[in-house]
Amino acid sequence: MWNSTLANNSHELIRLNRGQHHDPFNILGKHTEVAGTRIRLLLPFATNVKLVEPEHELKRIAQTDIFEILLCQEVLPNNYQVEWQDENKQVHTQYDPYSFPPQVTDYDLHLFNEGKNRHCYQFLGAHQHSFDQISGTLFVVWAPNAERVSVIGDFNRWNGRCHPMRSRGNTGIWELFIPELAEGELYKFEIRQRESGHISVKSDPYARRYELRPGTASIICSNKEYDWLDHKWLQSRLERDWLHQAMSVYEVHLGSWRQYKNKEFANYRELADDLISYVKPLGFTHIELLPITEHPFDGSWGYQTTGYFAPTSRFGSPDDFKYFVDQCHQNDIGVLLDWVPGHFPKDDFALARFDGTELYEHDDPKRGEHREWGTLIFNYGRNEVKSFLISSALFWLKEYHIDGLRVDAVASMLYLDYSREEGDWEANIYGGNENLEAIDFMRELNQSTHSECPGTLMIAEESTAWPQVTRPTWLGGLGFSMKWNMGWMHDSLEYMSKDPVHRHFHHNNLTFGL
């Protein structure tokens, strides 16, 4: 119900007009008063505004960009349209985004906050959505320390006052359904921090696609299903005993594998045809891709990820990458993906201090930063971060039919003193150097992927003598399928460098890693 006291409170209207109001739905949209139904809209570029049906003109509240009308008897549709004219006399007709109820269920939000929502990518981010037969895009983002969050893009001139989002209370989630906003639009989130008032502009952590670097905007994707043709492969994967069958893996960085004439990068579709024709005659059973998750810096080879749910636009669209995987499977070649949950870059458009605070990263600098790499470390003890990472792993296995993840830099996650000087780390509650929160995360990660995606592999890049990396979690292990043999290249080269007559004294070089 509309609060008539609030209706006369100019302070609330000023805060809304300035883009500082935490709860825009309490003022904007349709509200019932004693005298009738009041409608308010915030339209910064409008010169005049009217309701389409019933047709009525709205009046501007003095010294604001807020327009309102009080209807005494007319019956108004639940989702009404307004028509407004901008300064160039161009006419716009739209449904009022603030006439729609919340779209995300309380149950989904509860699971997300509990760290148990393995599929939060299905509602977080930007999704094509329909309500009451009205289509548009639903935006959902987690920013618990924000005073205000807005969706910005070309569709509103990148102005954060146009589309402030609905706060879902202490869940930290913000959402907004924008009717008639279609796929292909660029967007970001503008976030005003609660304590400092600092405003930052961020890419969507759950975006399915980003514009080509150096651009950093997210892109609304179609929810149209890809027509997969790899059913035979997926069925055989379920039946395959990978533990007792040979695997020969061709590791490749797509950006530098082959130069294409007059092109900076080849498309995923071209790469599929060329890679398959190259690796199949050589007898490889799998292709392992260095990270193709979106990243801003070519020189990182993808290991400084900013988009955990998006294949990089360097090589094409999400459907192009699905074609790549599909073609590999139709040619009996599995696809493994390097996946990087150990750290992320400090770029200010991405995850770093997302809502003005250490949100995804650990707030303790002794645990929140890789000094050697200049990157930030995820807070594995935070439930919402666990939901984010586990959801990302399952996303690639389910949505892109990936056959396994090679989990990067596991050792850096396991040890609190990894690559740190004396005095630059603190022991855990038992006095040891083990990162207990990261261990729990990895066990839950492997339990989730193995239970939901049988037949897929979780491969640890673990460079120390940590015990039981591949032992099942119910027996006290980390639960990985395999451990990457990191010493194989060095040990083999060391062995082959010996004079042949002496090699029989150095067989330990070949067997040590096992």
Side-chain angles (χ1 to χ4, degrees):
M1 295 291 287
W2 175 257
N3 185 325
S4 59
T5 303
L6 181 63
N8 297 317
N9 190 334
S10 60
H11 176 67
E12 296 288 328
L13 299 177
I14 291 171
R15 287 180 59 219
L16 177 67
N17 193 63
R18 289 178 176 173
Q20 298 174 359
H21 204 286
H22 186 75
D23 189 11
F25 276 81
N26 197 37
I27 298 178
L28 297 175
K30 180 177 66 174
H31 297 272
T32 301
E33 298 182 19
V34 174
T37 301
R38 188 179 299 273
I39 298 172
R40 279 205 178 102
L41 295 98
L42 176 60
L43 295 168
F45 308 115
T47 58
N48 55 74
V49 183
K50 68 177 182 180
L51 282 174
V52 173
E53 185 180 347
E55 188 171 328
H56 285 286
E57 186 175 353
L58 280 72
K59 301 296 183 183
R60 182 191 294 270
I61 298 177
Q63 298 180 327
T64 75
D65 292 318
I66 302 170
F67 296 79
E68 71 172 357
I69 188 173
L70 179 63
L71 301 175
C72 297
Q73 296 181 341
E74 288 92 340
V75 177
L76 196 66
N78 287 332
N79 307 118
Y80 49 87
Q81 288 183 303
V82 296
E83 182 179 288
W84 57 278
Q85 193 175 70
D86 63 24
E87 67 273 21
N88 298 317
K89 300 190 182 302
Q90 184 175 354
V91 176
H92 308 263
T93 303
Q94 66 181 52
Y95 286 96
D96 182 7
Y98 299 90
S99 67
F100 293 84
Q103 303 294 300
V104 183
T105 68
D106 291 336
Y107 183 64
D108 277 332
L109 298 183
H110 170 74
L111 288 180
F112 174 71
N113 290 140
E114 289 290 310
K116 301 298 182 182
N117 199 318
R118 297 175 174 178
H119 311 104
C120 55
Y121 63 83
Q122 294 177 345
F123 69 90
L124 278 153
H127 298 271
Q128 289 189 296
H129 181 76
S130 293
F131 182 83
D132 278 355
Q133 297 183 325
I134 300 170
S135 62
T137 301
L138 175 62
F139 297 91
V140 185
V141 66
W142 178 54
N145 299 296
E147 178 182 50
R148 184 262 302 167
V149 182
S150 297
V151 185
I152 57 175
D154 290 331
F155 50 88
N156 61 17
R157 308 188 197 181
W158 300 91
N159 188 306
R161 294 169 59 228
C162 293
H163 287 104
M165 304 176 76
R166 181 198 301 272
S167 169
R168 295 300 300 270
N170 59 11
T171 66
I173 293 290
W174 302 75
E175 67 165 83
L176 185 66
F177 175 57
I178 302 182
E180 301 175 322
L181 191 60
E183 64 174 293
E185 291 275 3
L186 300 178
Y187 74 96
K188 285 189 175 185
F189 295 114
E190 182 179 282
I191 301 173
R192 180 183 172 91
Q193 209 273 330
R194 184 189 304 134
E195 300 298 329
S196 67
H198 174 74
I199 293 177
S200 57
V201 175
K202 295 286 189 176
S203 300
D204 180 2
Y206 288 84
R208 305 288 185 94
R209 187 178 183 183
Y210 296 87
E211 62 178 333
L212 179 63
R213 59 94 178 98
T216 58
S218 308
I219 301 176
I220 299 172
C221 280
S222 168
N223 58 4
K224 183 180 179 182
E225 289 290 329
Y226 180 83
D227 186 19
W228 290 94
L229 299 174
D230 63 347
H231 314 295
K232 182 179 177 181
W233 168 269
L234 295 182
Q235 184 59 39
S236 69
R237 191 177 72 182
L238 283 173
E239 301 165 354
R240 188 179 301 118
D241 183 7
W242 56 265
L243 201 56
H244 296 94
Q245 289 186 342
M247 287 179 63
S248 182
V249 181
Y250 185 78
E251 184 184 34
V252 59
H253 174 241
L254 292 183
S256 58
W257 178 67
R258 178 176 291 178
Q259 294 296 311
Y260 285 79
K261 188 176 181 181
N262 301 323
K263 282 187 177 183
E264 185 176 20
F265 298 113
N267 185 273
Y268 288 115
R269 295 174 184 265
E270 294 174 296
L271 287 162
D273 298 339
D274 291 347
L275 261 176
I276 290 168
S277 64
Y278 180 77
V279 303
K280 193 171 182 178
L282 295 175
F284 288 101
T285 63
H286 290 73
I287 293 172
E288 180 188 324
L289 304 175
L290 272 65
I292 53 84
T293 40
E294 192 59 87
H295 52 282
F297 177 49
D298 293 354
S300 77
W301 287 6
Y303 287 99
Q304 294 197 8
T305 299
T306 52
Y308 278 80
F309 297 84
T312 176
S313 295
R314 289 168 176 80
F315 314 119
S317 69
D319 276 357
D320 291 337
F321 182 58
K322 288 177 181 178
Y323 174 89
F324 177 95
V325 178
D326 201 18
Q327 288 298 306
C328 287
H329 287 173
Q330 291 181 57
N331 283 274
D332 295 322
I333 297 172
V335 181
L336 308 175
L337 176 63
D338 278 17
W339 184 65
V340 190
H343 64 123
F344 60 93
K346 296 179 179 179
D347 299 69
D348 58 8
F349 68 86
L351 294 180
R353 291 185 60 85
F354 186 77
D355 64 357
T357 67
E358 290 83 4
L359 191 63
Y360 287 88
E361 64 268 41
H362 209 290
D363 57 0
D364 181 351
K366 291 185 177 181
R367 300 184 64 180
E369 182 178 355
H370 274 301
R371 313 292 195 199
E372 183 180 9
W373 300 339
T375 53
L376 301 173
I377 302 171
F378 283 105
N379 184 350
Y380 303 106
R382 187 156 197 169
N383 288 337
E384 295 87 352
V385 174
K386 284 199 297 185
S387 287
F388 172 80
L389 289 172
I390 293 174
S391 181
S392 170
L394 289 170
F395 171 81
W396 292 104
L397 298 176
K398 290 189 169 192
E399 299 294 320
Y400 283 92
H401 294 196
I402 295 296
D403 300 290
L405 301 178
R406 180 265 203 186
V407 182
D408 181 65
V410 168
S412 75
M413 302 162 66
L414 289 172
Y415 298 95
L416 295 170
D417 60 347
Y418 182 88
S419 192
R420 291 185 180 274
E421 300 291 336
E422 189 68 33
D424 194 30
W425 66 280
E426 293 181 357
N428 62 35
I429 57 174
Y430 302 111
N433 67 343
E434 302 89 356
N435 188 334
L436 304 179
E437 295 170 344
I439 294 169
D440 288 342
F441 159 71
M442 277 184 267
R443 286 173 174 160
E444 189 170 344
L445 167 71
N446 290 321
Q447 288 169 350
S448 300
T449 55
H450 288 146
S451 64
E452 294 206 22
C453 304
T456 61
L457 303 174
M458 296 295 287
I459 304 168
E461 188 220 13
E462 203 288 302
S463 56
T464 73
W466 186 278
Q468 303 182 6
V469 171
T470 59
R471 197 173 181 86
T473 56
W474 61 86
L475 295 177
L478 295 181
F480 285 97
S481 312
M482 300 179 181
K483 174 174 173 173
W484 223 48
N485 189 346
M486 294 191 66
W488 179 83
M489 176 186 69
H490 174 81
D491 297 339
S492 299
L493 289 174
E494 179 70 18
Y495 175 81
M496 296 303 293
S497 70
K498 305 296 182 184
D499 189 293
V501 73
H502 297 142
R503 286 177 187 163
H504 66 286
F505 296 111
H506 298 279
H507 286 167
N508 182 59
N509 282 6
L510 298 182
T511 60
F512 170 76
L514 301 179

